[in-house]
Amino acid sequence: MSDHKATIIDGKAIAQTIRSEIAAEVRRLSETHGKVPGLAVVIVGNRKDSQSYVNMKRKACTEVGIKSVDIDLPEEVSETELICRVHDLNANPDVHGILVQLPLPKHINEEKVLSEIALEKDVDGFHPLNIGKLAMKGREPLFVPCTPKGCIELLNRSGISIKGKKAVVVGRSNIVGLPVTLLLLKEDATVTVVHSRTKEPQSIIREADIIIAAAGQAMMIKGSWIKPGAALIDVGTNAIDDPSKKSGYRLVGDCDFHEACNVAGWITPVPGGVGPMTVAMLLKNTLDGAKRAIER
């Protein structure tokens, strides 16, 4: 096995293919109906990380022809004022998706604000009704959260079958762990969730044909924890000190990439694996919302 090397799943390339497909659909909508999808991106305050995420999302919209509606609010904006803005966007027929960048300042109740977003514009897929439908057999949510949706898309587009496979999800967050577990169930996998209170996680992970690592623990999953030939989707993005880098740090995933490459069948790199797919799925959700609104 020593000369074995896992197939690298190139999330950047797959995301670029999806963006091209979206751009073609956006052009078709524009030519057929004279309308383009619109995504409102709401940011409160000036956190550097949030601003860079938002700029990336706005730039991605422009690339595929989606109209970006920019709402930039000061740190001290009241919860009431923010909710008023959300209601305005709910009522705006040119906006088909609303994204409120998290985290919000301490004085604002995130759950309350997110639940005010109209269900048919909830492109982040976090509305309790969308998550509830995701959890129920035979029901389909209007939108699925972007990162989990991207994980499944990476598996599908890499020709990795999910049906009947043993899948282990590492982490149980509302943003990734929980919804990706529900999606894998919908795809007919047998799913186990490993979390911070799980005893002997390595013995459970070692059984998996598919591993979705979303614990936020740098290089936690070692090569010896992985079943030979397994598919590993690494959602983790952790900064670790690296004096050789200009920034003083580098980004690593939740698995030890070099060790995992010698055992796994497929693996996503960090960065460049799941990250680009998350943005592509946000664009796809916005397009789907627009198609529902424009073509009904």
Side-chain angles (χ1 to χ4, degrees):
M1 284 298 286
S2 59
D3 57 354
H4 169 84
K5 276 284 174 271
T7 300
I8 305 295
I9 298 174
D10 188 343
K12 242 181 201 166
I14 294 172
Q16 201 47 60
T17 302
I18 292 168
R19 285 189 189 202
S20 303
E21 294 165 6
I22 292 167
E25 268 297 281
V26 169
R27 279 196 302 276
R28 186 191 67 78
L29 266 187
S30 175
E31 286 161 10
T32 315
H33 298 277
K35 288 183 179 173
V36 296
L39 175 66
V41 183
V42 181
I43 183 170
V44 179
N46 45 16
R47 273 178 64 123
K48 286 274 185 293
D49 58 346
S50 290
Q51 283 183 324
S52 69
Y53 287 138
V54 162
N55 290 338
M56 185 171 65
K57 288 164 185 173
R58 289 171 175 169
K59 187 167 163 270
C61 281
T62 308
E63 266 181 40
V64 298
I66 289 174
K67 183 178 188 292
S68 177
V69 178
D70 304 344
I71 310 288
D72 298 74
L73 300 170
E75 180 84 17
E76 61 279 4
V77 72
S78 70
E79 184 176 283
T80 310
E81 170 62 13
L82 176 56
I83 288 171
C84 274
R85 289 302 190 96
V86 168
H87 288 169
D88 289 345
L89 295 169
N90 283 344
N92 183 341
D94 296 328
V95 170
H96 305 100
I98 300 169
L99 182 133
V100 176
Q101 184 63 41
L102 303 179
L104 291 170
K106 292 269 186 286
H107 67 279
I108 295 174
N109 180 335
E110 283 183 359
E111 189 182 346
K112 192 172 177 197
V113 171
L114 294 181
S115 68
E116 292 292 330
I117 295 172
L119 196 61
E120 65 276 11
K121 299 190 181 189
D122 171 42
V123 284
D124 250 345
F126 293 138
H127 192 290
L129 268 172
N130 274 324
I131 294 288
K133 284 189 172 185
L134 186 60
M136 294 170 82
K137 201 174 173 185
R139 306 282 173 89
E140 289 301 324
L142 285 177
F143 299 105
V144 171
C146 303
T147 302
K149 185 174 177 166
C151 292
I152 302 296
E153 196 72 21
L154 283 173
L155 291 169
N156 287 337
R157 289 192 182 232
S158 302
I160 299 160
S161 69
I162 302 171
K163 195 175 192 161
K165 295 287 176 66
K166 282 186 183 172
V168 169
V169 177
V170 186
R172 52 177 169 179
S173 72
N174 288 337
I175 292 173
V176 184
L178 181 73
V180 86
T181 299
L182 298 172
L183 275 176
L184 286 162
L185 277 174
K186 273 202 191 296
E187 296 277 340
D188 294 326
T190 300
V191 193
T192 307
V193 180
V194 164
H195 49 77
S196 57
R197 299 286 185 271
T198 302
K199 291 185 170 55
E200 295 183 32
Q202 61 272 38
S203 62
I204 297 168
I205 293 168
R206 209 177 287 123
E207 298 249 295
D209 304 306
I210 295 166
I211 302 163
I212 311 277
Q217 298 291 321
M219 297 164 74
M220 163 190 159
I221 297 168
K222 306 298 176 194
S224 61
W225 295 24
I226 298 163
K227 176 179 171 179
L232 206 164
I233 306 290
D234 196 342
V235 185
T237 309
N238 311 289
I240 61 166
D241 294 337
D242 185 344
S244 73
K245 298 279 184 194
K246 196 174 164 187
S247 60
Y249 70 89
R250 65 189 165 97
L251 294 178
V252 298
D254 285 356
C255 74
D256 186 318
F257 185 77
H258 295 291
E259 283 189 13
C261 275
N262 296 325
V263 191
W266 296 266
I267 190 168
T268 57
V270 175
V274 177
M277 290 297 290
T278 299
V279 179
M281 294 300 104
L282 172 66
L283 301 174
K284 178 80 170 73
N285 278 353
T286 304
L287 170 66
D288 291 345
K291 281 164 75 172
R292 274 195 288 265
I294 293 167
E295 294 180 333
R296 66 183 171 204

